[in-house]
Amino acid sequence: MSDTKLMPIPGHIDPVPVPRDVTPREDGRVDLIGLPKKRIAELFETAGLDAKAAKLRAKQVFHWLYHRGVTDFEAMTDIAKTMRPWLAERFVIGRPEVVEAQHSSDGTRKWLLRTADGHDFEMVFIPDADRGTLCVSSQVGCTLNCRFCHTGTMRLVRNLTAGEIVGQVMLARDSLGEWPKSGQADLAALDDDLVDDDGGYSADGRLLTNIVMMGMGEPLYNFDNVRDALKLVMDGDGLALSKRRITLSTSGVVPQMDRCAEEIGVNLAVSLHAVTKDVRDEIVPINKKYGIEELLQACADYKGASNARRITFEYVMLKDKNDSDEDARELVRLIKHYKLPAKVNLIPFNPWPGAPYDCSTPERIKSFSNIVFEAGISAPVRTPRGRDIDAACGQLKTAAEKKSRAELERLYAEKEKALG
Ligand code: SAH
Ligand code: SF4
């Protein structure tokens, strides 16, 4: 059973189901994944340890969970043998269930995952020569309905919990074999200065080096859980990934953008995709609520950006829709007008069954890119990855029932009504 309740999100956006920080399990045990160290200590104290012991145990357990990646209390060798069953009776170390793992011919990997209450979502790993990027989902489905995005044809089923979000990163590490070797931990592990991890724990030589919140869902409509999960990802005692290697992508939920800089400090990507009201209203309908000027002003005010940390503007290339030279020039004008430290990512449209658009021609994309580039703004064209397994941008969708055009239009109308 899903344990969700309606909670209002600050700002003038509509309430969506938000799971509680501790999701009760049928067996009464508590899943520790997704909880900060302090909360773990509180739970240990509630379970009967005195405050000092709870704090110490929480520190040890946290290290095993996020630094070593163990999934069994028995493997926590610096915790007394008698203590381990005590923990196992009360707590679990969860991972999303893997329903299917697929491998693309270009090395991209996609996992179909399932929550404990039976909802499916996806995560994608994209290896490159100099980096490996994990594309993480924040929601099952999406409240929004960008017309070129397959996820947009789903309803929002529910927000993912912080545990389910950080759980994706942990599962990727499991699958890629990227946890430090176990068995070498001892009490020294309690002293950060003395930790001796020979298991390739530095960012160098790692497969998974970067995280993008660009899977299913709109991360700024699930901000608290995304923030809590990314804090665990960035925690030096935890997964220890630098905030510079994490990017959050939003379709433009203007009232939440500030919080991203203030509370997480990761890189920001904005799904702009169009430069006129008419076209953006059509393809990114949240534009009717927060228009281009408001969005770009929020980008100009965004405290997390600088010339060294530019905002990425994502721009999907749709044939005869948003891809003219005039569009490119207007994009340049807007970026300059708002004095934005910007780079532009041109994403060739990735098709999905029933999609109402085609991808622009390579010549058109080149011409668009040249105009932006010649104005001094970096505008690389993203090579689509994992298209053969439907893992490319905008192709993610689960429970792949095919909707008729009329059903889809009804769903879109409902979503837009809810958006207000
Ligand atoms: N909801 C967030 C993040 C997820 S989508 C957002 O919209 O920003 C990640 C990126 O892929 C977004 O820029 C999105 O607009 C883009 N995208 C969606 N569908 C696509 C498609 N079919 N082809 C190419 N890019 C797509
Ligand atoms: Fe949702 Fe992003 Fe897809 Fe738009 S592009 S429907 S916001 S996942």
Side-chain angles (χ1 to χ4, degrees):
M1 268 290 291
S2 155
D3 181 67
T4 55
K5 59 175 179 170
L6 281 179
M7 263 169 56
I9 290 184
H12 46 297
I13 43 179
D14 306 305
V16 292
V18 180
R20 302 201 198 120
D21 93 319
V22 171
T23 309
R25 293 164 41 99
E26 269 171 21
D27 63 8
R29 294 187 295 169
V30 173
D31 187 351
L32 293 179
I33 298 297
L35 303 179
K37 205 183 292 167
K38 209 164 147 249
R39 185 82 180 96
I40 296 178
E42 280 167 19
L43 289 169
F44 287 178
E45 212 180 321
T46 311
L49 297 186
D50 69 52
K52 197 161 163 251
K55 200 165 167 219
L56 175 71
R57 293 296 173 219
K59 185 167 176 160
Q60 286 174 302
V61 167
F62 190 89
H63 181 85
W64 282 110
L65 298 183
Y66 293 105
H67 198 75
R68 298 277 171 173
V70 305
T71 51
D72 186 351
F73 292 105
E74 270 311 313
M76 301 185 177
T77 47
D78 60 352
I79 290 180
K81 272 208 169 72
T82 49
M83 180 82 197
R84 297 179 215 159
W86 182 90
L87 286 167
E89 270 166 33
R90 291 162 179 81
F91 303 101
V92 286
I93 304 167
R95 289 285 192 272
E97 178 194 343
V98 178
V99 181
E100 194 185 1
Q102 285 177 283
H103 236 115
S104 159
S105 52
D106 69 13
T108 301
R109 295 166 72 164
K110 179 170 91 169
W111 290 265
L112 175 63
L113 306 176
R114 185 165 293 163
T115 64
D117 57 345
H119 299 302
D120 292 352
F121 60 105
E122 295 184 313
M123 120 184 144
V124 176
F125 177 68
I126 308 143
D128 275 305
D130 59 339
R131 65 171 70 184
T133 307
L134 188 71
C135 180
V136 170
S137 289
S138 56
Q139 299 182 310
V140 180
C142 189
T143 40
L144 301 176
N145 56 329
C146 306
R147 296 296 164 122
F148 47 82
C149 173
H150 208 189
T151 310
T153 69
M154 293 177 73
R155 285 174 200 285
L156 174 72
V157 177
R158 74 162 168 81
N159 282 335
L160 292 173
T161 62
E164 288 158 348
I165 296 168
V166 71
Q168 294 171 64
V169 182
M170 303 181 78
L171 199 66
R173 281 237 169 122
D174 295 347
S175 299
L176 298 169
E178 288 210 302
W179 296 108
K181 301 270 175 297
S182 58
Q184 48 178 276
D186 47 38
L187 284 174
L190 283 177
D191 184 333
D192 293 341
D193 294 327
L194 294 177
V195 177
D196 176 21
D197 282 334
D198 289 322
Y201 200 77
S202 75
D204 299 341
R206 274 276 175 83
L207 289 172
L208 199 176
T209 59
N210 290 54
I211 288 178
V212 292
M213 295 303 305
M214 294 189 189
M216 297 168 77
E218 167 50 59
L220 293 190
Y221 274 155
N222 185 18
F223 183 78
D224 289 0
N225 289 336
V226 167
R227 175 202 55 210
D228 292 351
L230 291 181
K231 285 205 161 153
L232 292 167
V233 171
M234 297 185 296
D235 190 321
D237 294 336
L239 289 153
L241 215 81
S242 155
K243 63 181 180 183
R244 286 168 209 287
R245 292 182 170 273
I246 303 174
T247 302
L248 184 150
S249 174
T250 179
S251 58
V253 185
V254 168
Q256 299 286 309
M257 280 167 56
D258 253 9
R259 295 184 68 196
C260 184
E262 273 158 25
E263 298 179 39
I264 335 182
V266 295
N267 303 313
L268 183 69
V270 172
S271 294
L272 188 62
H273 301 315
V275 289
T276 64
K277 173 166 170 51
D278 280 358
V279 178
R280 197 161 190 269
D281 276 356
E282 175 192 326
I283 67 178
V284 188
I286 195 180
N287 195 63
K288 293 178 192 161
K289 190 158 186 172
Y290 311 114
I292 295 179
E293 286 76 24
E294 206 180 333
L295 174 60
L296 295 182
Q297 189 56 50
C299 291
D301 298 339
Y302 188 71
K303 292 186 197 69
S306 63
N307 281 334
R309 294 189 79 194
R310 293 171 184 274
I311 298 176
T312 302
F313 288 95
E314 293 154 290
Y315 200 98
V316 62
M317 299 302 296
L318 304 174
K319 189 172 186 205
D320 299 330
K321 181 52 72 182
N322 64 354
D323 63 350
S324 69
D325 286 353
E326 204 187 333
D327 289 319
R329 283 191 287 269
E330 178 61 4
L331 178 59
V332 169
R333 191 192 69 78
L334 286 170
I335 289 173
K336 301 223 153 158
H337 177 77
Y338 285 91
K339 300 191 176 64
L340 299 171
K343 55 187 176 188
V344 174
N345 261 351
L346 299 175
I347 317 174
F349 169 65
N350 293 306
W352 39 272
Y357 303 105
D358 291 318
C359 184
S360 310
T361 62
E363 297 73 36
R364 188 88 298 280
I365 298 178
K366 187 89 203 110
S367 173
F368 193 107
S369 164
N370 283 346
I371 291 173
V372 181
F373 184 74
E374 276 159 21
I377 302 161
S378 145
V381 180
R382 290 279 149 227
T383 313
R385 299 291 302 270
R387 269 189 180 173
D388 55 339
I389 55 167
D390 283 345
C393 296
Q395 292 185 315
L396 303 187
K397 179 180 182 305
T398 51
E401 88 285 7
K402 191 153 167 12
K403 290 195 180 69
S404 69
R405 206 21 57 206
E407 282 170 312
L408 210 49
E409 288 307 327
R410 266 201 300 280
L411 172 66
Y412 286 164
E414 260 174 49
K415 286 189 175 198
E416 284 180 40
K417 192 158 164 246
L419 200 61

